[in-house]
Amino acid sequence: MSNQFYHESARDIPIYAECDILVVGGGAAGNAAAVAAARAGAKNIILMERYGYMGGDATGGYVIMVPNLSWYDKSFVRGIQEEWFTRLKKIPQAVMAPDLSRIGSQDPALISRWKGIHDCVSRGGFGGCKPSCLVRAVYFEPNELKIVMDEMIHEHRDAIRICYHSWVTDAIVENDTIKGVVFESKEGRKAILAKMVIDATGDGDIYAQAGAPYSSLADEACRSNTTALVWRAGGIDWNAYVQWQRVNPEAAQALRAGLQKTAGFRIAPLPSSHNDICWMNNWHANRDCTIIEDQTHTEVATRLTIHKVLEYLKEVCPVAFKDAFLYDIAPQLGTRCSRRLKGEYIMTANDFAFAIRHDDVIAWHSTICQINDCGPVEIPYRALLPQKIENLICPGRHLSADNVAIDWLNLIPQCVGTGQAAGVAAAVAVADGSTAHGVDIRKVQDILVDQDVPLPRNEKFLAKDPSYQACVEEHEYGLYTDLAKKAKEESDALNAFRQW
């Protein structure tokens, strides 16, 4: 890296627009934030996205499965997240998932049907649901979701203005309060002023530029410390592959090892909503999706191995892959973690190990976490609020969590859920003339419940459906696992030592 500098002369930047709420990033979090804000009554919203479509990793990165939306027989991740699939279900072959009416089912025939579809059956290895039960995990067609997400915004075109192909390059901050952003496009450099800004970039671009504290990357042992470039193979037979794995378990294990050896990094085929198409997820270790060298390596190293991987699959498992071909390559890099907000509250493994309650809870999500057997955890509004900077809300995969908890909190459902909450909070703050930190959180929670978001202890939600609270109490919040018991024992021992 060069230590030389070029001095940029000061210049006047035209004001492109002024708005009440500016959402930067049109991914899962940003799209949900804009839609939720409009539905909460906001009228002057701008949604800015660097690409020409919504969805981020879900549509452009081909992360085409949304996992763990349910726990036992309850659908904990609803709201805008479940609305995606309600809309997509009307389109042939746009979604594949156990139906909502089937979640929690222990029917052996249904378990057998869905066992070969990753994450559609509970992860018994964590000491959880016994016997196994069906889980709401949804596979979807990314291009159809692009259309659905545009439709959801277009339905609120009186309130939301989209700015595609626009990339924010700086934050405008005065007296520790964000006032807007500077962005670049084919029209040159311009500025947008806003009363409230939502950083839904996924990499914390805005809060980093604004001067809010943050951390980088995650623990080296975590999934989040990797990047990917997903591609899809066509001409395959997924059902035949599932059957081949069942009949040849040792060969299936060898295939997984052989794929990694062939590619030089971990790679695995996963199902899609089409039996003749699978997606090839991959994991490039210790790569940061905000570093040019790491981004470039991920792109090039993946593409250079695609044909080798296809040839290997054809040779080892011809019953499923003999006619396989490259169907397409994701148009954008697969990103997992880079910057992590140091917010007003930092989520840790303790939130999962002790079922910590938060008065400012804005999402109650089942997640992929072995500590509480994938049970629901409360995500507080404070985890979206930066320290030092006012009127900036930061939902999505860069929310405030430590280097371990981020692995369970930066998936698509948590992006949508925190994005929806951020949009409602921004709308309430603007309407009431309050700040992001001072927003009436009770009002935010009530509106979220009206938008079909389950929330614990909320009177409106409890009056509508008390069975969710009964479910978590009956199943001990998932804290029956060996990991949770060990955490409690260690905590009790530490507290006893402190008292002594």
Side-chain angles (χ1 to χ4, degrees), residues 63-64 105 120 248 335 393 444:
V63 182
I64 54 179
S105 173
C120 287
N248 305 281
T335 52
I393 311 175
V444 172

Side-chain angles (χ1 to χ4, degrees), residues 252-471:
Q253 185 175 356
L255 180 145
R256 288 187 285 272
L259 281 173
Q260 179 162 341
K261 183 177 180 180
T262 300
F265 49 85
R266 185 182 165 208
I267 185 169
L270 291 170
S272 76
S273 57
H274 303 263
N275 185 59
D276 59 348
I277 299 173
C278 70
W279 56 294
M280 302 298 296
N281 201 1
N282 47 80
W283 297 263
H284 293 261
N286 302 320
R287 298 289 175 177
D288 185 331
C289 55
T290 62
I291 303 298
I292 295 172
E293 183 177 345
D294 289 353
Q295 291 173 314
T296 303
H297 170 88
T298 304
E299 296 265 8
V300 176
T302 304
R303 285 193 289 267
L304 290 179
T305 60
I306 288 175
H307 290 134
K308 296 178 185 178
V309 167
L310 282 172
E311 289 304 315
Y312 180 79
L313 287 170
K314 291 178 182 180
E315 181 179 1
V316 174
C317 185
V319 67
F321 295 102
K322 65 181 176 65
D323 296 321
F325 62 90
L326 174 61
Y327 183 76
D328 59 7
I329 303 172
Q332 67 183 69
L333 189 75
T335 52
R336 293 186 173 103
C337 183
S338 56
R339 304 183 187 99
R340 291 176 287 113
L341 182 69
K342 286 185 178 178
E344 296 292 355
Y345 181 86
I346 300 174
M347 297 194 71
T348 70
N350 285 343
D351 285 278
F352 297 82
F354 299 102
I356 295 175
R357 296 184 173 193
H358 299 287
D359 289 341
D360 61 336
V361 56
I362 43 80
W364 193 24
H365 279 199
S366 42
T367 67
I368 299 177
C369 177
Q370 59 268 44
I371 294 176
N372 67 342
D373 192 36
C374 302
V377 63
E378 297 187 13
I379 302 176
Y381 177 59
R382 285 165 295 150
L384 313 185
L385 291 178
Q387 299 175 27
K388 292 180 56 178
I389 304 299
E390 185 54 272
N391 291 346
L392 179 62
I393 311 175
C394 309
R397 63 181 173 82
H398 58 216
L399 85 174
S400 181
D402 72 5
N403 62 337
V404 174
I406 193 66
D407 230 24
W408 308 314
L409 293 165
N410 64 1
L411 297 174
I412 292 170
Q414 288 67 59
C415 291
V416 178
T418 57
Q420 184 168 1
V424 171
V428 170
V430 169
D432 291 352
S434 70
T435 63
H437 281 70
V439 71
D440 186 339
I441 195 64
R442 299 292 179 269
K443 189 179 292 185
V444 172
Q445 291 167 335
D446 285 347
I447 294 173
L448 285 170
V449 169
D450 290 339
Q451 293 189 2
D452 194 36
V453 174
L455 288 179
R457 301 180 300 284
N458 179 274
E459 292 181 3
K460 291 180 73 172
F461 182 68
L462 285 171
K464 183 167 61 173
D465 192 345
S467 66
Y468 278 70
Q469 190 63 40
C471 174

Side-chain angles (χ1 to χ4, degrees), residues 233-248:
I236 64 105
D237 187 336
W238 187 262
N239 290 336
Y241 178 54
V242 170
Q243 184 60 28
W244 178 82
Q245 291 180 95
R246 289 175 176 172
V247 175
N248 305 281

Side-chain angles (χ1 to χ4, degrees), residues 43-59:
K43 294 297 183 184
N44 187 8
I45 305 163
I46 291 178
L47 176 53
M48 181 167 285
E49 166 57 44
R50 62 172 169 156
Y51 295 110
Y53 53 84
M54 299 286 172
D57 275 344
T59 59

